[in-house]
Amino acid sequence: MASARMRWMYMSLVALGALCLYFSMCDMPVFGGELFVFKRDSGKFLQLPDADCQQDPPFLVLLVTSSPEQEFARLAIRSTWGRETEVRGRRVKTLFLLGTSARKHVAEAVAQESRQHRDVIQKDFVDVYFNLTLKTMMGIEWVHRFCPQAAFVMKTDSDMFINVHYLTELLLRRNRTSRFFTGYLKMREYPIRQRRSKWFVSRYEYPWDRYPPFCSGTAYVFSGDVASRVYNVSESIPFLKLEDVFVGLCLKKLDIGLEELHSQQTFFPGGLSFSTCRFRKIVACHFVGPQKMLLYWRALETSRGEECPAE
């Protein structure tokens, strides 16, 4: 009898080990039938920026996802659109969102950069692509905890060109102060099930056949109150490594709809060929590296006051 019981326990342990191995190979965020849920305490803040939102509330906070190694990209942004501190009499604040690097010299360089520029938000999670949801939620948490006075927030990436002047103009024109979310709208997107894809999502991670409406993660904008709403609801949302879809799931639960910022397209996640007249009337353009960013910025600055042909 004891021998049979031991054999049963052994077989159970083998089966449990096989299940754990299978789930880990499938990137499955479930165990015991429960979905992995985002936890707010996923890491502590290592770096915080110099910002007193209570005394000097910003109109627009720009949260730029970056990796520790992308120092040149951050310098390019600080020298171009990220240098804007006041637009149309409204205060603008640009901050960078980073995880950690295992390389000691990189970690030390980031700490020094943070001390110098005071514009880095960092937590102690590893900075890899599949932690982009943690990085984005870190920025949203920072707004919720330290800067709920911000009128608007933009989340964007370090290879984006942002026309802060035109964005501010359009936000002032819309005059929306709550439950506002905009960007490049994706209303009927489907999960990619091909394993070789960068955006592969298994049915274990996301069992449904269609995503909720969401905005391209390259750049989206929301009213300041949405940060706290998303942060508060995030703990009840199943974790997903695609941060833009994860935020879309939060918005769906909050019953916050997506809105166009303008009747004309202003967000370009697929990139856009440059001309000064064209870039005066865009908000965000993808695939702009540091060198192009500097060239575009100089061209726009030197062409100020010049008239563009009527369209």
Side-chain angles (χ1 to χ4, degrees), residues 264 277-278 281 308-311:
Q264 302 295 320
C277 288
R278 183 177 294 127
K281 296 297 181 181
C308 291
E311 296 182 357

Side-chain angles (χ1 to χ4, degrees), residues 2 4 8 10 38 51 58 64 83 101 118 133 190 193 221 245 250 285 291 303-304 307-308:
W8 181 85
Y10 175 77
F38 178 82
V64 186
R83 69 187 290 180
S101 171
R118 306 302 299 169
T133 298
Y190 300 88
R193 304 300 189 188
V221 182
V245 180
C250 294
C285 180
Q291 292 181 332
S303 68
R304 283 186 183 274
E307 292 189 8
C308 291

Side-chain angles (χ1 to χ4, degrees), residues 43 49 58 80 138 190 201 207 248 299:
T80 56
M138 172 182 69
Y190 300 88
V201 172

Side-chain angles (χ1 to χ4, degrees), residues 38-228:
F38 178 82
K39 297 297 182 184
R40 295 178 192 163
D41 58 352
S42 53
K44 63 180 181 180
F45 284 103
L46 300 177
Q47 308 289 343
L48 287 170
D50 183 13
D52 189 345
C53 294
Q54 189 169 3
Q55 293 294 323
D56 194 8
F59 175 77
L60 175 63
V61 173
L62 302 163
L63 299 174
V64 186
T65 59
S66 183
S67 66
E69 294 80 8
Q70 292 177 325
E71 183 179 4
F72 187 39
R74 292 190 292 277
L75 288 173
I77 291 172
R78 291 187 187 106
S79 301
T80 56
W81 55 265
R83 69 187 290 180
E84 302 286 12
T85 57
E86 187 174 298
V87 177
R88 293 177 172 265
R90 269 69 174 186
R91 183 167 171 257
V92 178
K93 186 77 173 177
T94 300
L95 303 171
F96 297 95
L97 309 178
L98 280 73
T100 61
S101 171
R103 294 190 288 178
K104 186 177 179 180
H105 72 281
V106 174
E108 291 175 347
V110 168
Q112 172 60 33
E113 180 184 346
S114 177
R115 287 192 293 269
Q116 178 181 353
H117 296 283
R118 306 302 299 169
D119 60 2
V120 171
I121 303 173
Q122 185 185 40
K123 272 193 172 185
D124 61 350
F125 58 83
V126 179
D127 199 306
V128 293
Y129 176 75
F130 288 147
N131 277 341
L132 188 53
T133 298
L134 295 181
K135 186 180 291 184
T136 300
M137 291 306 301
M138 172 182 69
I140 289 175
E141 179 186 354
W142 182 85
V143 175
H144 167 75
R145 290 181 56 186
F146 301 104
C147 201
Q149 298 86 359
F152 294 96
V153 180
M154 169 183 262
K155 178 268 167 186
T156 189
D157 297 334
S158 58
D159 60 349
M160 298 290 294
F161 190 93
I162 306 299
N163 186 334
V164 183
H165 286 265
Y166 194 50
L167 172 58
T168 302
E169 177 186 331
L170 293 178
L171 290 174
L172 289 170
R173 196 183 300 174
R174 285 302 297 267
N175 194 29
R176 284 290 303 277
T177 57
S178 67
R179 298 181 67 85
F180 178 68
F181 201 100
T182 189
Y184 184 83
L185 276 55
K186 290 176 170 284
M187 306 301 289
R188 297 177 63 87
E189 297 293 315
Y190 300 88
I192 295 175
R193 304 300 189 188
Q194 290 76 33
R195 287 185 173 274
R196 293 184 179 180
S197 172
K198 178 181 180 181
W199 301 283
F200 163 72
V201 172
S202 70
R203 288 194 175 274
Y204 297 106
E205 293 173 281
Y206 190 85
W208 300 280
D209 293 327
R210 183 183 294 175
Y211 287 136
F214 66 97
C215 288
S216 167
T218 53
Y220 48 78
V221 182
F222 47 95
S223 53
D225 67 299
V226 172
S228 291

